[in-house]
Amino acid sequence: MEIKTFGVVGSGQMGNGIAQVAAAAGMTVIMSDIKEAFCEKGLATIAGSLDRLVKKEKITQADKDATLARITTTTDLKEMAKADFVVEAAVERQDLKFKIFRDLDEICPAHVILASNTSSIPIGSIAAQTSRPDKVIGMHFMNPVPMMKLVEVIKGIATSEETFKLTWDLSEKFGKVPAQANDYPGFIANRILMPMINEAVFCLYQSVGNKEDIDTVMKLGMNHPMGPLTLADLIGLDTCLAIMETLYDGFKDSKYRPCPLLRKYVEAGWLGRKTGKGFYDYK
């Protein structure tokens, strides 16, 4: 099946990045969100990202204009009926994702593949919300999407080989490198990454080191491009907490217990870069 029109549900930091790479690959893109202001902000973020690529001479002004021209925005989820493939990129809340997939299942024609950019919620449970579990798959992009090469492609127990291959090929068309993961909480990326970030938060919580020294140790000692607390701020502390809760609930193992300090920051609304304050101050 040829994918010509690509739908993205959500215009936040992940959704607008996915929309950008799909449009840059030549697809017609429909990007939806619940408010027009969110759509406008997402489109402005894409324009800014493309401007930086023009400035670096990685694309031309004509490339930028053509990419933007392929993207339309909407607050009406029913517009996804026009798409051949839809990726959900809403916040990491199981109840919200379940509702979106139930709605998409009613809206989209039977042949349409429904993918989730979830970073931890089992694909099988998402697929169970639909009448097409064979056409539901995980397509987990990394942040920032235009720059990061990896896409985790996650098969649920009911995902068909045809759906898997099409999603794999689509990832490559976007200029990404796909990696297959099976359907366990956190998949590969976040089953490894999030406990490390959570442990870094415990080090801060227990005064093992201050935030700068914790990040310096991991950057200079382990050759990470950024420290775990800086990375947590980039990802969003609410997302980090949601993933840790999914791991904890899924494995029933105390080693996945979210650090109380992480929960305290989220309760205070200190979510990282997107709110201007997390472990570091971005105001």
Side-chain angles (χ1 to χ4, degrees):
M1 181 177 73
E2 185 179 2
I3 308 299
K4 294 182 178 179
T5 302
F6 188 83
V8 183
V9 180
S11 62
Q13 62 180 354
M14 298 304 295
N16 67 61
I18 296 168
Q20 178 181 326
V21 298
M27 293 184 179
T28 299
V29 176
I30 304 167
M31 182 173 69
S32 76
D33 215 315
I34 57 174
K35 292 183 180 180
E36 185 62 37
F38 296 164
C39 293
E40 290 173 359
K41 184 178 179 181
L43 205 55
T45 300
I46 294 170
S49 175
L50 293 170
D51 279 336
R52 289 189 290 275
L53 293 175
V54 171
K55 188 174 182 180
K56 293 176 182 177
E57 299 184 345
K58 292 188 176 182
I59 64 171
T60 65
Q61 182 64 39
D63 292 331
K64 174 200 166 181
D65 294 342
T67 297
L68 286 174
R70 295 187 193 105
I71 303 171
T72 59
T73 63
T74 182
T75 56
D76 186 358
L77 193 64
K78 291 179 180 177
E79 288 294 302
M80 292 299 159
K82 301 174 183 176
D84 302 309
F85 191 112
V86 179
V87 171
E88 165 273 317
V91 296
E92 194 71 357
R93 266 180 41 204
Q94 181 172 283
D95 60 332
L96 178 60
K97 290 182 186 292
F98 281 6
K99 184 181 186 309
I100 289 170
F101 271 80
R102 287 195 294 267
D103 291 343
L104 288 173
D105 190 44
E106 292 183 4
I107 292 166
C108 297
H111 69 277
V112 175
I113 291 172
L114 305 178
S116 178
N117 184 57
T118 179
S119 46
S120 61
I121 298 169
I123 299 304
S125 63
I126 294 174
Q129 309 305 308
T130 75
S131 62
R132 64 183 90 191
D134 60 313
K135 293 182 175 64
V136 176
I137 194 164
M139 195 179 193
H140 180 209
F141 291 81
M142 305 294 123
N143 183 36
V145 178
M147 306 303 295
M148 300 292 281
K149 285 291 188 182
L150 177 66
V151 174
E152 262 188 313
V153 181
I154 305 112
K155 290 181 68 175
I157 192 169
T159 305
S160 71
E161 283 299 322
E162 181 182 7
T163 296
F164 175 77
K165 186 178 187 312
L166 194 150
T167 306
W168 185 277
D169 292 346
L170 193 58
S171 301
E172 292 183 326
K173 184 173 182 177
F174 291 167
K176 305 302 181 185
V177 178
Q180 181 180 349
N182 288 321
D183 195 17
Y184 290 90
F187 318 125
I188 296 172
N190 283 316
R191 184 168 175 177
I192 296 170
L193 174 64
M194 282 303 157
M196 183 198 75
I197 287 177
N198 194 54
E199 197 62 30
V201 182
F202 265 115
C203 285
L204 183 63
Y205 180 56
Q206 297 169 348
S207 300
V208 178
N210 64 36
K211 60 193 175 187
E212 292 85 2
D213 288 336
I214 292 167
D215 277 353
T216 296
V217 165
M218 296 307 290
K219 284 191 294 182
L220 302 185
M222 285 67 188
N223 203 29
H224 292 190
M226 68 176 72
L229 300 177
T230 302
L231 180 56
D233 278 353
L234 176 64
I235 293 168
L237 304 192
D238 52 338
T239 300
C240 294
L241 178 59
I243 295 168
M244 286 307 302
E245 288 177 332
T246 297
L247 291 172
Y248 189 46
D249 291 344
F251 292 114
K252 308 294 190 237
D253 190 325
S254 61
K255 72 181 180 182
Y256 296 112
R257 179 173 66 91
C259 179
L261 184 61
L262 177 59
R263 191 178 302 281
K264 186 176 291 188
Y265 272 49
V266 172
E267 289 171 349
W270 297 353
L271 308 183
R273 287 180 179 270
K274 60 188 174 184
T275 59
K277 182 173 177 59
F279 293 112
Y280 293 90
D281 196 327
Y282 301 94
K283 294 177 181 177

